[in-house]
Amino acid sequence: REEDHKYKTWMLKFLMAKEDKDQRKSSNDVERNIFKVKKSNAEKSKKMGKEEKVFRETFMYDKEISVINTATAECSVPSKRRVDLPVTAGEQLDVIDVTEDNAVICRNSEGRYGYVLVEHLNFR
């Protein structure tokens, strides 16, 4: 009987290993999803490059783009002109440059650039 008992234990371990193998298959699916995310990040960076090119042409901006400060939009504001950046309340914005008026050039999380009035922003 002891030999039969050892055999049954081994069989259970064997079956458990097979279940683990099924779990590995599902983890492979997760890895594939990770690669898809990386692909979308590449597409996003490509889109941001296009947005930067459009920004440089529209604003005739030849300086290096560097983030001066970060700000949070206090309220939602639609864009009235093509050069204005539409913002939603609570959105994080990177301040790129300060203008002579009461507006600053900002970049949102999607990579779009535009003017935003200082009165609509909350600086940290």
Side-chain angles (χ1 to χ4, degrees):
R1 287 188 173 186
E2 291 177 18
E3 291 178 14
D4 291 339
H5 181 62
K6 289 180 182 176
Y7 180 71
K8 287 181 182 177
T9 306
W10 181 80
M11 281 295 287
L12 288 175
K13 288 181 181 176
F14 178 76
L15 291 175
M16 288 174 66
K18 187 175 182 181
E19 291 173 1
D20 290 342
K21 190 175 182 181
D22 292 338
Q23 289 177 353
R24 282 189 220 134
K25 285 183 183 177
S26 64
S27 68
N28 286 341
D29 294 339
V30 172
E31 289 177 14
R32 288 185 184 133
N33 289 338
I34 291 170
F35 291 126
K36 288 180 183 176
V37 170
K38 288 182 180 178
K39 185 178 179 183
S40 67
N41 284 344
E43 291 172 0
K44 186 175 179 180
S45 64
K46 185 177 179 182
K47 181 182 177 185
M48 289 181 87
K50 286 182 181 178
E51 291 289 344
E52 182 180 333
K53 183 178 178 183
V54 169
F55 162 70
R56 287 186 180 282
E57 290 172 357
T58 306
F59 289 78
M60 291 179 248
Y61 197 82
D62 56 352
K63 302 179 202 173
E64 180 182 344
I65 296 175
S66 61
V67 178
I68 299 171
N69 200 349
T70 57
T72 306
E74 290 183 343
C75 58
S76 298
V77 181
S79 62
K80 296 178 182 175
R81 304 176 296 169
R82 184 171 179 249
V83 293
D84 291 337
L85 182 65
V87 294
T88 56
E91 184 177 11
Q92 294 286 336
L93 301 171
D94 295 330
V95 178
I96 304 299
D97 203 354
V98 180
T99 62
E100 293 176 5
D101 300 329
N102 61 343
V104 291
I105 298 174
C106 293
R107 175 177 62 197
N108 64 8
S109 60
E110 296 173 0
R112 293 191 61 205
Y113 296 84
Y115 290 115
V116 180
L117 293 176
V118 175
E119 61 198 38
H120 300 301
L121 298 177
N122 182 16
F123 294 93
R124 294 186 212 171

